[in-house]
Amino acid sequence: MKTTIQNIDENIIVTMIGSLDTAAAIETEQTLKPITAPEVVKDIVFECQELEYIASSGLRILLDVLKKTKAKGKRVVLRNLNEEIKNVFKITGFINLFEFE
């Protein structure tokens, strides 16, 4: 799993490449920790075009980012999810929690 973070204007763009499985979850969680720091007040866009798989541990990480970001009045957007991963969001009910592009 490769995760990159860019600050572009009023957004933080997080590009996720590979599989966000249980093995990658701990490292990904540490990588994302700075974007949810109290002093960071920006919308977060997850670019998921090259995200191949997401496990429940990955969903938990995204939910944590969502909660912390919404508490600051900002948005979390998931962009370019493939149909298989979007289906995981539908099955788990997370489809109703996130914004998608």
Side-chain angles (χ1 to χ4, degrees):
M1 176 75 195
K2 180 179 179 189
T3 306
T4 59
I5 299 172
Q6 297 175 292
N7 280 293
I8 300 176
D9 299 323
E10 295 301 313
N11 296 316
I12 295 172
I13 309 296
V14 179
T15 303
M16 304 179 89
I17 300 171
S19 295
L20 184 47
D21 55 18
T22 304
I26 294 170
E27 182 180 340
T28 302
E29 191 168 28
Q30 291 303 312
T31 301
L32 296 179
K33 198 168 261 190
I35 69 172
T36 59
E39 66 275 6
V40 178
V41 184
K42 292 186 172 192
D43 290 338
I44 299 173
V45 177
F46 284 93
E47 175 52 63
C48 302
Q49 186 169 357
E50 296 183 61
L51 183 64
E52 299 166 357
Y53 173 81
I54 190 164
S56 59
S57 53
L59 292 172
R60 180 189 54 77
I61 291 167
L62 293 180
L63 184 60
D64 184 57
V65 170
L66 178 68
K67 286 180 181 179
K68 290 176 179 174
T69 304
K70 278 194 153 191
K72 297 182 240 178
K74 292 301 188 178
R75 301 168 45 227
V76 173
V77 177
L78 303 176
R79 185 182 290 165
N80 296 318
L81 287 173
N82 68 38
E83 286 305 312
E84 185 176 310
I85 294 176
K86 195 176 262 189
N87 195 39
V88 171
F89 279 82
K90 288 176 186 173
I91 291 168
T92 60
F94 278 40
I95 197 89
N96 299 316
L97 301 176
F98 289 89
E99 292 183 45
F100 297 87
E101 289 182 357

